[in-house]
Amino acid sequence: MDTILQLLANGLMLGGLFAIVAVGLTLIFGIVKVVNFAHGEFLMVGMYLTFLVTRMLGLHPFVAVIVVVPALFLIGALTQRLIIQPLMSARDDHIQIFATVGLSTALINLALLVFGADIANTPASGLRTPIEIGPVRVLSGQIAIFVASIALVIGLQLFLQNTAMGRAIRAVAQNRSAAQLMGINVDRIYILTFGIGAACVGVAAVLIAPLYPTSPTIGTYFVLTAFVVVVLGGLGSIPGAFVGSLVIGLIDSFAGFYIGSDMREVAVFGVFLLILILRPAGLFGKQLNLSHVSP
Amino acid sequence: MLKLETIDAGYGATTILHDVSLDVNAGEVVTIVGANGAGKTTTLRTIAGLIRPTSGRILFEGRDITRLSAHETVDLGITLIPEGRQLFPEMTVHENLLMGAYRSAAREKQADTLEEVLTLFPRVRERLDQNAASLSGGEQQMVAIARGMMARPKLLMFDEPSLGLAPIIVAQVFAVIDTIVKTGATVLIVEQNVFHTLKAADRGYVLENGEIVLTDSGKALLANDHVRQAYLGI
Ligand SMILES: Nc1ncnc2c1ncn2[C@@H]1O[C@H](COP(=O)(O)OP(=O)(O)OP(=O)(O)O)[C@@H](O)[C@H]1O
Ligand SMILES: [Mg+2]
């Protein structure tokens, strides 16, 4: 019984980790309709920034949020403005894919150049301390990630549902040209949304850096699962990405224990395929809906 | 108020509008009549700033707006109620209306405007909390008009407001437009129901293959042989 509870806890913690990385990715996809293949490298850049801020200033890693989140917002906004937007008139999705893949490669090489291939360890600052909750042991840093992922999901939903800017963002996603007719500057909304999506992964970076060693290719490690989670949850659905993350986290945890750690990924992708066969649009995705096309 | 001077416009390399010139004076109701594919929608989208003309000038209240984008023309008081309603399907009716008042000038008066608009559209008031996609075609058209009015426009452009609606509903839509016209609004309207619109319009333009071939008062166009044959089937 205790084992099951521990596996459950591990799965949920892992789910929170996947979710906090995936939220920004699904936001950008849902609104800007661009698959950001550089998302993992945004995370990597955020982790290095966290490392630098804590090392150089000797501050708690969480304080780095003041620097990392605005920096990532800026990187995301500039990516949209300088790379994606000029390609948007081409309206050829392949070109955008090449562009973000290219950006990803460029960022990895930049990190190799600046930091070398060696890993950088952000000080743990008490975040790798085990905490016992009944029979279950988790790290304090993992709880922080889990709580932050929930806060981020709820915060984004509140922003999108209840503010004028959030409504404008949804309007652009639902009907781009009608949004223009309302007086919305669509280019600006895309820049803003890309910035917010990148800022979200900045939050993830600050929380993950104290727990995992930072290296130029660390982004790839996290972002592959993030892509799975985004598709599983229903492309563009933020609550979907969260639930999808928990599902994948739990499968990973239980399959790793009962089937063997080398079979975890097989189990994850097996369930992934199964869910997509049963629900092609993902858990929270919209099935093709033609009801609003009036006669 | 609005003046198009020898406008050429189209999509990509295809020019649809050739040398289109037209005026709308303050307080007037002006209609553009033309067959399917003549370029009526293209004309309205060009005025709204969704399409950039390749030559010619557009003036609004004496100001050159030829190169402005759609979100900038809205600020000046130009609102297009587009063909096919184009609501935000996954937003409530209330949210759709709020989107109409997105620009800051309109947003300041949002609460008052909403009350005025809902007085004009009691059916819309009943549907405020419903998703736009769940409404009938006629209700969606009412919401589209109401959303356009939320911007407090100086010039209101309608593109085929009766398209695809049942005859009873069409009558309701026209009644609403008549009410709006009576308030002294300036209106540029494109409508397949040519007879009704020409009767209600002060002036009309006939557009064929992207060119203006005829212009006159609404009454004179109703009596014109060419218009009667080509568009009224008489
Ligand atoms: N997005 C587009 N890209 C390319 N060509 C287009 C596009 N939209 C319309 N056209 C073409 O432009 C021409 C004029 O179209 P437009 O929609 O302005 O006509 P319309 O007078 O509004 O007709 P309708 O009565 O069918 O609404 C048509 O030949 C049409 O095929
Ligand atoms: Mg048309």
Side-chain angles (χ1 to χ4, degrees), chain A residues 96-118:
Chain A
Q96 292 166 19
I97 290 173
F98 290 134
T100 60
V101 170
L103 178 64
S104 145
T105 313
L107 288 174
I108 291 176
N109 283 303
L110 186 70
L112 278 169
L113 205 70
V114 177
F115 297 98
D118 294 342

Side-chain angles (χ1 to χ4, degrees), chain B:
Chain B
M1 176 180 257
L2 175 76
K3 190 174 186 65
L4 272 66
E5 295 177 352
T6 61
I7 285 292
D8 283 8
Y11 304 91
T14 332
T15 304
I16 304 289
L17 303 181
H18 307 277
D19 258 351
V20 168
S21 297
L22 63 82
D23 311 80
V24 180
N25 300 315
E28 261 190 331
V29 178
V30 174
T31 181
I32 304 174
V33 172
N36 285 348
K40 307 180 295 295
T41 297
T42 307
T43 306
L44 298 188
R45 288 172 68 87
T46 305
I47 297 168
L50 288 170
I51 300 171
R52 196 149 291 183
T54 47
S55 77
R57 279 209 310 172
I58 306 177
L59 302 173
F60 185 71
E61 296 185 312
R63 181 176 163 180
D64 190 335
I65 62 161
T66 319
R67 312 247 131 233
L68 295 192
S69 305
H71 64 268
E72 294 165 315
T73 64
V74 175
D75 266 347
L76 299 179
I78 300 176
T79 288
L80 169 62
I81 296 165
E83 190 175 335
R85 346 217 197 279
Q86 310 290 335
L87 299 182
F88 302 110
E90 289 156 44
M91 287 191 187
T92 64
V93 168
H94 186 230
E95 287 178 312
N96 268 277
L97 296 182
L98 293 184
M99 289 317 303
Y102 179 74
R103 299 303 296 192
S104 52
R107 210 184 298 174
E108 280 162 22
K109 300 181 191 132
Q110 175 175 296
D112 293 341
T113 320
L114 185 64
E115 209 33 58
E116 287 168 32
V117 167
L118 291 178
T119 310
L120 198 59
F121 297 93
R123 285 287 290 281
V124 171
R125 191 192 288 274
E126 290 166 22
R127 299 275 183 267
L128 275 181
D129 294 325
Q130 252 171 271
N131 253 22
S134 72
L135 303 189
S136 70
E139 289 169 336
Q140 289 192 11
Q141 186 60 58
M142 296 297 187
V143 174
I145 298 174
R147 183 181 66 175
M149 294 180 69
M150 288 298 293
R152 298 189 150 269
K154 294 176 186 161
L155 170 67
L156 197 49
M157 300 192 288
F158 291 87
D159 194 353
E160 309 269 14
S162 78
L163 193 69
L165 301 180
I168 315 172
I169 313 292
V170 171
Q172 290 172 7
V173 170
F174 283 143
V176 162
I177 295 175
D178 286 345
T179 315
I180 295 171
V181 167
K182 284 206 192 81
T183 64
T186 309
V187 170
L188 179 58
I189 181 168
V190 165
E191 206 358 272
Q192 50 171 357
N193 194 324
V194 173
F195 182 72
H196 182 98
T197 336
L198 279 179
K199 249 188 356 185
D202 297 306
R203 290 187 304 112
Y205 291 86
V206 179
L207 188 67
E208 291 180 357
N209 299 319
E211 291 179 59
I212 303 280
V213 295
L214 193 61
T215 174
D216 213 327
S217 71
K219 275 203 192 64
L221 287 177
L222 264 181
N224 180 285
D225 281 344
H226 176 68
V227 171
R228 288 168 74 89
Q229 270 174 19
Y231 302 105
L232 298 170
I234 306 174

